[in-house]
C-alpha cells in the first residue's frame, strides 16, 4: 500500500489546521482533502476515495453521523473516526451505530490515539513514526 490518504471534515478552519499537522506527524500518511459540511464530506469521499476520514459530528447541513452512514454505504472499506467536544457519555445515541470505527474528543486527538483506533481494524492501517515526529500519547 502507498500512502494512507486522509480526509479531514470539520466546519472550523483552526481544527482542520491542527488535524493537518497531526496527519503530517505520521510517516506514510497524507491529507487527501478537506470538507466543511456533511454534504461536502460525502462528495469529497466519493471523489477522493480516502482510506481514513476524521469526521466532526456537528456540521452544517447533515451531521457527521449521517455523512458517515452515507459514505460507508458506498465505500464500506473506508475508516471513519468521529471527533467532537462531547464527553463519550454525552455522544448522540446514533454515534455508536453509524458505522464509525470510534470516537476521539478533539482535545484528546493525537497521532497515537488515532493510530490506536485504526490498529483495531482488520487489517490494521499501516503507519510508522515520522522522522522527528511526535509518537506518544502525551502530544
Amino acid at each position: 500500500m502507498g500512502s494512507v490518504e486522509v480526509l479531514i471534515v470539520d466546519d472550523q478552519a483552526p481544527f482542520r489546521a491542527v488535524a493537518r499537522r497531526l496527519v503530517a506527524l505520521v510517516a506514510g500518511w497524507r491529507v487527501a482533502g478537506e470538507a466543511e459540511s456533511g454534504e461536502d464530506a460525502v462528495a469529497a469521499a466519493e471523489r477522493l476515495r480516502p482510506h481514513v476520514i476524521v469526521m466532526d459530528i456537528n456540521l452544517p447541513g447533515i451531521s457527521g453521523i449521517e455523512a458517515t452512514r452515507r459514505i460507508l454505504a458506498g465505500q464500506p472499506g473506508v475508516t471513519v473516526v468521529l471527533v467532537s467536544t462531547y464527553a463519550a457519555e454525552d455522544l448522540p445515541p446514533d454515534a455508536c451505530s453509524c458505522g464509525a470505527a470510534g470516537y476521539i474528543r478533539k482535545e484528546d486527538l493525537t497521532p497515537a490515539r488515532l493510530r490506536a483506533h485504526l490498529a483495531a481494524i482488520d487489517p490494521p492501517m499501516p503507519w510508522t513514526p515520522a522522522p522527528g515526529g511526535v509518537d506518544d500519547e502525551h502530544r
Side-chain angles (χ1 to χ4, degrees):
M1 174 185 241
S3 65
V4 174
E5 304 288 322
V6 181
L7 174 62
I8 298 168
V9 183
D10 196 286
D11 58 326
Q12 298 179 16
F15 180 79
R16 290 194 313 272
V18 168
R20 278 193 307 274
R21 179 67 183 134
L22 180 139
V23 170
L25 292 172
V26 183
W29 287 26
R30 78 173 201 87
V31 175
E34 299 179 18
E36 297 181 28
S37 72
E39 291 85 355
D40 289 345
V42 174
E46 178 62 31
R47 184 178 71 255
L48 300 170
R49 307 300 252 183
H51 300 104
V52 175
I53 301 174
V54 176
M55 176 82 71
D56 187 21
I57 291 176
N58 294 314
L59 296 168
I62 63 171
S63 72
I65 293 168
E66 180 58 29
T68 296
R69 280 193 192 95
R70 292 181 188 186
I71 291 166
L72 293 175
Q75 298 177 64
V78 71
T79 299
V80 179
V81 176
L82 297 174
V83 296
S84 193
T85 57
Y86 292 112
E89 60 272 10
D90 296 328
L91 284 173
D94 51 349
C96 297
S97 62
C98 68
Y103 171 74
I104 303 173
R105 285 182 74 166
K106 285 183 177 181
E107 60 263 29
D108 297 331
L109 187 62
T110 65
R113 285 206 170 104
L114 185 57
R115 285 193 312 269
H117 280 282
L118 302 180
I121 300 161
D122 186 26
M125 284 284 169
W127 68 272
T128 55
V134 178
D135 195 38
D136 63 34
E137 281 292 330
H138 304 306
R139 299 188 191 186

